[in-house]
Amino acid sequence: MKTSEAQEYKTKLYAELAKIGKCLSSERRLELLELLTQCEKTVEKLATETQMTIANTSRHLQVLFKAGLVKRRKQGNFVVYSLASSQVAELASSLKQVGVVRLEKTQADLAKKTGSLTITLKQAKQQDHALFLDVRPTDEYQAGHIEGALNIPFEQLEEHLSFLPQDREIIVYCRGKLCTYADLATGLLHAKGYEAYSLNHSYYDWVTEKK
């Protein structure tokens, strides 16, 4: 390969990488990727969870699809989207980790405001008698969850407190550090007299953490 051909190839390669970077420059598309890391979802479901219109959600998904980050399939009258590969999940996770340091103060402020206590991933994995509470939507829980975890979606938590034991430590988790549900749920449980801790890590973090 000539030097000029090698340079042309490299330029095209970086151009393709730049397309992916531009695709990820939207906060709404990053949110969609985060949701799809949990499980596959229809356009309608994604629109509801992001509080966008179906048309706007569809446009963002089209951009992700053209960049090769998501795939889709027909299910009756619905279009179901999922991540294109496990590498996309790793990419989304890496982006999140880069931003975590900048978000630490915001998360600390939320924890202080809600009165929630936190626990690290390492500490949580050492708990033998704690109850893990998954406050994600049911479809995400069914797609994969921490073994033995109880699922009560955040919106239903207050009306289902009777399902939770008062004599066990409760570790709450949702979609990870960018999700506020774990802190809000932990603050609610703490106010109701439960010994509860916010994990602030996702099921994906749980299964991919190096042993």
Side-chain angles (χ1 to χ4, degrees):
M1 180 181 291
K2 297 179 180 179
T3 302
S4 58
E5 293 176 331
Q7 181 60 47
E8 182 180 358
Y9 172 80
K10 184 171 68 173
T11 300
K12 288 182 178 180
L13 177 62
Y14 279 110
E16 291 302 312
L17 290 175
K19 288 181 183 179
I20 295 176
K22 290 178 182 178
C23 175
L24 298 176
S25 64
S26 163
E27 65 272 21
R28 304 320 300 266
R29 291 195 284 273
L30 288 174
E31 184 178 4
L32 289 170
L33 285 180
E34 176 75 3
L35 291 172
L36 292 174
T37 299
Q38 310 300 317
C39 68
E40 64 176 13
K41 295 176 182 285
T42 64
V43 177
E44 290 75 12
K45 181 72 171 176
L46 289 166
T48 298
E49 295 186 3
T50 57
Q51 298 184 354
M52 290 191 288
T53 64
I54 291 178
N56 199 23
T57 303
S58 183
R59 282 194 290 270
H60 282 300
L61 289 169
Q62 288 284 351
V63 175
L64 291 169
F65 179 75
K66 289 180 179 179
L69 298 178
V70 300
K71 56 186 178 181
R72 61 194 180 192
R73 63 180 178 84
K74 288 284 289 183
Q75 182 176 292
N77 295 325
F78 299 96
V79 179
V80 181
Y81 278 85
S82 60
L83 296 184
S85 67
S86 60
Q87 284 76 23
V88 178
E90 292 171 5
L91 173 62
S93 179
S94 295
L95 283 172
K96 186 165 59 177
Q97 292 304 318
V98 170
V100 160
V101 175
R102 298 184 62 183
L103 295 170
E104 280 182 344
K105 185 179 185 303
T106 301
Q107 291 180 322
D109 290 343
L110 176 62
K112 183 178 180 180
K113 183 177 180 179
T114 59
S116 64
L117 302 175
T118 61
I119 188 171
T120 67
L121 195 58
K122 181 178 180 180
Q123 290 170 333
K125 289 198 170 190
Q126 294 173 343
Q127 301 301 311
D128 295 325
H129 304 293
L131 170 67
F132 284 87
L133 177 62
D134 187 324
V135 294
R136 296 175 300 162
T138 302
D139 61 338
E140 297 179 14
Y141 172 82
Q142 292 175 340
H145 56 268
I146 295 174
E147 184 177 358
L150 174 66
N151 177 227
I152 303 179
F154 175 73
E155 295 83 358
Q156 303 172 22
L157 181 58
E158 191 160 10
E159 60 186 286
H160 290 91
L161 289 176
S162 59
F163 287 91
L164 301 175
Q166 288 274 5
D167 58 349
R168 290 179 67 185
E169 178 181 295
I170 299 174
I171 299 175
V172 186
Y173 73 96
C174 58
R175 295 166 179 151
K177 289 184 177 296
L178 299 184
C179 182
T180 59
Y181 286 164
D183 280 341
L184 293 173
T186 302
L188 171 63
L189 292 174
H190 181 72
K192 297 295 183 178
Y194 290 89
E195 184 182 357
Y197 299 87
S198 174
L199 179 56
N200 269 332
H201 284 277
S202 67
Y203 172 65
Y204 177 82
D205 298 326
W206 182 274
V207 297
T208 58
E209 185 204 30
K210 294 181 179 179
K211 305 297 183 181

